[in-house]
Amino acid sequence: MLDIINIPHADPLNLPLMHGIGPVSIITGLYLLFILKLGRRFMENRQPYQLRGILKFYNLFQVAYNALMFLMMVTCLVVYKPYKFSCMVPSPLDHGVKNWERFIGYAYYINKYFDFLDTIFFILRKKYKQITILHIVHHAAMPMAAYLTMRVNGYGGLPVTVSTANTFVHTLMYGYYYLASQYPNLSKSLWWKKYITILQMVQFISVLIHIFWTLQQEDCYINPHLINGFIGAGIFLITMFSNFYIRTYMLSKSKKT
């Protein structure tokens, strides 16, 4: 598995934070150090910060960012039509849509670093119960997963469907976060929160179905590292999100009744 880091970059374009595994490892390590130790120590004798103005801007920014990425990815898939849905391989480096693939792929990757702010804000607001194992693992793993995906696969291809589904879900999710942070009394009536979790699980299942369908196609080569990584991540995330849903929305409800 570690031989992945020695694989040459599938795309020679050397964008910031993409030239090696070092930057993503360091940034993710600092993130984990802050949320697991330094941040909690910093807040130990401090009152929680409200951050209402910052959260308003951040959540609206994330809604706009993810919505824009979603629309751009749909445009790529529907208007430019660079792929066969049954065999989505990256476009050749000299293809007219290549820079479009690079832009949306890199924008998606950078957004995974912005997502770190979710946890940092939880720390500063002392919302420690929100920082579940699922939350930490999911956030910490995504930048590395996105980096390795683009390293072995390049920009575009099969990951576009994953990113399209993910940005759609995140647009709704940050919309919920915005309403919950700005209107605390309203948060209990936001009944659709659990359906975002369901939508996330549907997303992972749909991706797995698409991958297994792709594997049935003849004369369709997709990097095996990418396939194995997506399948492993999909199964892991379905398991984690299912466990979260059961504990949060089913077991907790049964305890109240």
Side-chain angles (χ1 to χ4, degrees):
M1 184 66 181
L2 292 178
D3 63 338
I4 291 178
I5 64 176
N6 296 317
I7 294 176
H9 289 264
D11 191 309
L13 185 64
N14 190 15
L15 294 169
L17 301 179
M18 282 298 299
H19 59 273
I21 202 169
V24 61
S25 300
I26 292 171
I27 295 172
T28 302
L30 291 173
Y31 161 75
L32 290 171
L33 180 63
F34 180 82
I35 67 168
L36 295 176
K37 189 171 183 179
L38 297 183
R40 294 169 190 258
R41 183 181 298 174
F42 174 77
M43 292 301 299
E44 189 173 4
N45 297 313
R46 288 178 169 84
Q47 292 297 314
Y49 293 98
Q50 296 302 312
L51 304 179
R52 184 162 295 180
I54 294 175
L55 288 173
K56 179 179 181 179
F57 172 81
Y58 172 70
N59 289 320
L60 288 176
F61 167 78
Q62 285 282 30
V63 169
Y65 195 119
N66 281 277
L68 181 59
M69 283 195 295
F70 172 74
L71 292 174
M72 293 180 71
M73 291 173 189
V74 170
T75 299
C76 180
L77 292 171
V78 176
V79 177
Y80 295 114
K81 299 179 180 178
Y83 318 115
K84 287 175 58 180
F85 190 66
S86 59
C87 184
M88 297 182 66
V89 296
S91 303
L93 296 178
D94 59 351
H95 195 281
V97 80
K98 193 68 213 178
N99 285 335
W100 188 269
E101 288 180 326
R102 286 167 169 163
F103 180 81
I104 59 179
Y106 186 69
Y108 180 81
Y109 168 61
I110 292 299
N111 188 250
K112 299 303 105 181
Y113 291 107
F114 286 135
D115 289 350
F116 284 171
L117 291 172
D118 293 353
T119 327
I120 293 172
F121 291 148
F122 282 147
I123 292 289
L124 296 177
R125 297 166 66 208
K126 287 192 171 182
K127 300 285 187 179
Y128 299 140
K129 289 184 179 180
Q130 303 280 1
I131 308 174
T132 62
I133 294 176
L134 170 61
H135 178 96
I136 294 172
V137 171
H138 188 211
H139 278 65
M142 283 305 297
M144 182 64 75
Y147 166 78
L148 292 176
T149 294
M150 290 184 289
R151 176 156 185 163
V152 304
N153 179 74
Y155 301 92
L158 184 62
V160 174
T161 56
V162 180
S163 304
T164 303
N166 190 248
T167 52
F168 174 73
V169 172
H170 276 214
T171 300
L172 298 180
M173 184 182 74
Y174 282 106
Y176 165 79
Y177 285 164
Y178 169 76
L179 293 174
S181 65
Q182 296 304 306
Y183 307 100
N185 294 331
L186 182 64
S187 61
K188 293 182 180 180
S189 65
L190 294 175
W191 53 268
W192 43 280
K193 178 183 178 182
K194 70 176 183 179
Y195 293 103
I196 295 177
T197 304
I198 294 174
L199 191 59
Q200 287 173 311
M201 291 188 287
V202 170
Q203 167 197 179
F204 303 137
I205 293 170
S206 300
V207 167
L208 286 179
I209 291 173
H210 184 217
I211 290 173
F212 287 125
W213 181 46
T214 299
L215 289 174
Q216 303 305 311
Q217 309 305 311
E218 297 181 359
D219 301 322
C220 179
Y221 176 81
I222 294 179
N223 191 294
H225 288 299
L226 181 71
I227 292 292
N228 294 335
F230 275 15
I231 291 175
I235 293 173
F236 175 76
L237 289 171
I238 290 170
T239 303
M240 293 287 285
F241 273 84
S242 298
N243 181 56
F244 171 80
Y245 183 88
I246 291 170
R247 288 188 294 104
T248 304
Y249 300 112
M250 297 177 69
L251 294 181
S252 62
K253 185 177 180 180
S254 63
K255 289 179 181 179
K256 293 178 182 179
T257 56

